[in-house]
Amino acid sequence: MAAPKVAVVGAGVIGLSTALCIVETCPSCSVTVLSEQFSPNTTSDVAAGMLIPHTYPGTPIHVQKQWFKETFTYLFAISNSAEASEAGIHLVSGWQVFKNTPKEELPFWSDVVLGFRPMSEAELQKFPQHQFGQAFTTLKCDCPPYLLWLEKRLKATGVQMYTRKVTDLWELHSEYNIVVNCTGIGAHQLVGDKKLFPVRGQVLKVHAPWVKNFIRDGDGITYIYPGIHRVTIGGTREKENWNLSPDPGTTKDIFDRCCSLEPSLQGAQDIKVKVGLRPSRQCVRLQREVLSQGGVKLLVVHNYGHGSGGFSVHRGTAKEAARLVRECIAALQGASSRAKL
Amino acid sequence: MRVAVIGAGVIGLSTALCIHERYHGLVPSLEVEVYADRSTPHTTSDGAAGLWQPYLSDRGNLQETVWNKETFDYLLGHLGSPAAKEMGLFLISGYNLFTQPVPDPSWKNIVLGFRNLTPKELELFPGYSYGWFNTALMLEGRSYLPWLTQRLMQRGVKFFQKKVESFQEMFAQGVDVVINCTGVRAGELQPDPELQPGRGQVIKVLAPWVKHFIITHNIGSGIYNSPYVIPGSEFTILGGINQHGNWNEENNAQDHKTIWENCCRLLPTLQKAKIVEEWSGLRPARPRVRLERETVRHGQFQAEVIHNYGHGGFGITIHWGCAMAAARILGTILQEQPLAGPPQPRL
């Protein structure tokens, strides 16, 4: 058959990294990215992009660890290269602190990040309300830079990108052989996935360049993540809340909580408020599907539902999605040789 | 009782503040004045990156280790206060790198979270096989010195912009105690062969993605003669020059090349950093800090000098411990005065 035509729908971190993996592993494919939104207007742009994994209840831990490890290794290499600043990737050290000692003192990813160890008594004194903590060094993907860097690499390989709202995957069947669905929270409407639900997050992006370390409360709701130009402080985890408008009461609450962890934030300037809907699910939907109508088939690979763990596992799930695309291509080639008989 | 501090770098200003805080209420007649020909942003302290970190070895000066600790604890206590931002004070983590294993430093329990580097971390730094990670403090001179100046002015301390030519000049004016915080140029007031410049040069760049300090060590070439990268609140400082005996305060093109090439090799991401400024300064190097009292003859009278200079490349690191020690010496001097009126003897 002629070069398989692949459409990747969605241009957040998942869509762009998946498109890149497909290009890397299927040189014969023609890949196009279609998305209603591009950076700086994706959910990924709101996120801090910290590599601290979320645990998916529905996926075996060893699989999640593999995804995280692949992602960490990939970004680690970029962080130490001349491209790091353009790609927005940098190392950051800090602390995860707990008001009460957690049941699991060693998370599954503790040997993937760098220098993981329990905090010392002296370090904990800085957090009088917290009894236990972990210190480590991890990576941060700043957006928009990371997404723009992915877009640049895609364009360099000839991938076309179009702003387009896809309302039904089937509408792509005449132009493409394979569709990769990386629509994040958009999949709720696009494919009617009722297992996918938003977890609303509000964050503040502030100018506080003296903050060099991250601080995260183990409850995952209060955090301070220093990026290249701004510090992302947050947040909220509001299940089933679809509201994309910033809430002023929440802004004040976030600011107060973060100042109590890091008092110097009182001096933060130029506060920008953002809202994103984490595309949450028991497990990431990473699977193939065949759509058919009237004898015509459209092969689909789903890669969505990363919730609050998108950045942490993006490269790992992108590689898996690319593998599923290769399976689709093999299936198409099989079908096409049978058709020739 | 007139006390004149000579020098308005981190040592002079912090000593003046410590003295005023401690004795102003106790000694009603106390007047503190600061004399300096150079003040912020033109002092040696202004060019320093401001990282709290002593030398690797205490050189046998245990007193200095105590002063370093006192400074760290004092600053740590101020971290959570609203003044921290204005002071230019914040926490920072980072790496010390070596080409071979070395003993732990005297300050390992002073800083936070001191540990050895893991093999994976060392992968970041080809050529280095051993290292430390810890969290320390930054105290940026460009913010701290103005903050100290403001605190002093609020307390009524007077500043005089002038070059003091001799201790006698001060005593002739009626000053009772001189506190000599003249740093690298102390030899101009009183010869001191042990005091030598340790010339440093730094390149200031914009590299806000760098969040850690990285200090490399080459045991053969001596402290600060090996590349280092220290991110500040606005700029990142690249350095690695320490030329003993070189008084030249002009930037040197060869040194620039050395710093730039070595730092970019250490941290390839720096290749994209924009260079903003270059600066040279003279560390007031001495085998040990000179912090002591000297009674000098002033005509028929006696007057007191408290020396507080020679802090090398660790002035910011040790400043508050020294300021308190100098204040204690002044306390002794004050106790020796007769109860009524001004001190010995005035015709």
Side-chain angles (χ1 to χ4, degrees), chain B residues 128-301:
Chain B
Y128 296 95
S129 57
Y130 188 82
W132 307 325
F133 182 94
N134 65 265
T135 301
L137 292 163
M138 282 284 284
L139 184 62
E140 298 184 298
R142 294 271 177 124
S143 297
Y144 190 48
L145 265 53
W147 182 84
L148 286 170
T149 305
Q150 253 197 22
R151 300 280 82 65
L152 287 164
M153 284 181 164
Q154 276 169 7
R155 291 174 151 270
V157 170
K158 300 263 184 314
F159 283 75
F160 299 93
Q161 212 249 304
K162 72 178 284 197
K163 185 173 163 72
V164 172
E165 305 288 355
S166 68
F167 298 133
Q168 301 300 344
E169 181 193 324
M170 296 278 93
F171 299 134
Q173 279 180 34
V175 168
D176 301 294
V177 181
V178 164
I179 315 205
N180 177 18
C181 305
T182 50
V184 76
R185 288 179 290 144
E188 291 177 24
L189 287 174
Q190 188 185 92
D192 181 349
E194 290 192 294
L195 177 69
Q196 291 288 318
R199 181 184 174 279
Q201 185 166 320
V202 295
I203 306 175
K204 256 162 76 164
V205 305
L206 275 174
W209 58 88
V210 178
K211 304 292 181 191
H212 298 92
F213 63 81
I214 306 169
I215 319 239
T216 68
H217 300 271
N218 182 325
I219 306 297
S221 47
I223 190 87
Y224 300 133
N225 261 323
S226 191
Y228 60 79
V229 177
I230 303 176
S233 60
E234 210 183 337
F235 304 112
T236 298
I237 304 278
L238 312 184
I241 300 286
N242 190 359
Q243 296 154 343
H244 198 76
N246 186 345
W247 283 96
N248 196 336
E249 285 181 82
E250 301 283 307
N251 293 321
N252 175 284
Q254 179 56 49
D255 290 337
H256 170 94
K257 194 161 179 289
T258 302
I259 297 167
W260 183 255
E261 287 177 2
N262 287 344
C263 288
C264 285
R265 190 177 313 119
L266 176 64
L267 201 56
T269 72
L270 287 174
Q271 290 165 47
K272 300 285 169 75
K274 178 161 172 249
I275 296 177
V276 166
E277 208 181 298
E278 195 119 3
W279 180 86
S280 297
L282 309 174
R283 299 175 185 86
R286 207 172 180 276
R288 73 199 62 74
V289 173
R290 188 177 184 198
L291 181 31
E292 63 190 3
R293 172 182 178 180
E294 185 184 358
T295 306
V296 305
R297 297 221 60 79
H298 165 55
Q300 297 159 277
F301 315 124

Side-chain angles (χ1 to χ4, degrees), chain A residues 19-35:
Chain A
L20 193 59
C21 275
I22 295 169
V23 159
E24 286 168 1
T25 57
C26 312
S28 61
C29 288
S30 147
V31 179
T32 307
V33 174
L34 308 171
S35 185

